[in-house]
Amino acid sequence: MLKIQEIREIIKLVDSSSIDEFVFEADDTKVKLKKNGATTVVTDAPAQVIKAVTPAPAAPVVEAPKAPAAPVAEKPAAPKAEVANDASLHKIVSPMVGTFYKAPNPESPAFVQTGDKVGEETVVCIVEAMKLFNEIEAEVKGEIVEILVNDGELVEYGQPLFLVKED
């Protein structure tokens, strides 16, 4: 069962790619997108799609197992605005549209945490675009001050992912 946010991510990825048609089938759900024509979403079980639309605002509850990452991002909310505006910090930005992953797989530890020292070639995250996993390197030597994106979140081209205090 796909959530509305997942469908939106698929639409953005298809729109930014060179493919003209995308079909996804899982269980009793089918999603078909055509780029050079009308975009169509078809399901074999419309009652279940309605159920998926209704709990969509409760998506953060579904993401509750990821709660250890979310509170860390929420606690420094006030300093985040101050830190994000600090011109002395280097921003590591996403080179593409895709999904941000802080670890190589769900069982592995994150590539970097706040406070970690990084070098120019240190891999800090992965951005997945169309099933291609692209390792993103720090490109600067310094210390990770803040991680601006949550694991599994859709990122845009040029969106800041990390703030680094350069050495």
Side-chain angles (χ1 to χ4, degrees):
M1 183 69 53
L2 289 173
K3 298 177 189 150
I4 296 298
Q5 182 60 29
E6 293 171 326
I7 294 173
R8 287 181 183 153
E9 289 178 21
I10 292 170
I11 291 170
K12 285 180 183 179
L13 289 172
V14 168
D15 190 41
S16 66
S17 72
S18 62
I19 63 172
D20 291 324
E21 186 174 333
F22 174 81
V23 179
F24 174 81
E25 292 184 42
D27 299 327
D28 56 341
T29 303
K30 180 178 180 181
V31 177
K32 183 176 182 180
L33 302 169
K34 289 185 180 181
K35 196 184 234 182
N36 294 329
T39 303
T40 308
V41 178
V42 181
T43 62
D44 295 333
Q48 291 185 357
V49 170
I50 292 170
K51 290 178 186 175
V53 171
T54 304
V61 174
V62 174
E63 295 179 9
K66 296 180 184 177
V72 172
E74 291 173 10
K75 287 179 185 176
K80 183 176 186 175
E82 296 169 11
V83 172
N85 293 330
D86 189 346
S88 66
L89 297 176
H90 176 79
K91 293 178 184 174
I92 300 174
V93 297
S94 177
M96 65 194 71
V97 174
T99 305
F100 172 88
Y101 293 107
K102 63 182 180 180
N105 62 57
E107 294 80 31
S108 297
F111 287 109
V112 293
Q113 298 288 338
T114 302
D116 287 357
K117 297 286 185 182
V118 295
E120 289 90 357
E121 296 181 4
T122 303
V123 175
V124 293
C125 68
I126 293 175
V127 175
E128 175 199 0
M130 299 190 59
K131 299 297 179 192
L132 294 175
F133 294 86
N134 303 284
E135 293 182 339
I136 309 303
E137 295 178 348
E139 298 180 353
V140 295
K141 186 175 181 181
E143 177 183 340
I144 300 290
V145 175
E146 188 167 357
I147 301 171
L148 303 172
V149 184
N150 292 323
D151 195 41
E153 189 174 311
L154 183 66
V155 294
E156 300 291 331
Y157 170 79
Q159 178 179 347
L161 305 174
F162 299 89
L163 294 177
V164 180
K165 181 179 178 183
E166 293 186 61
D167 287 343

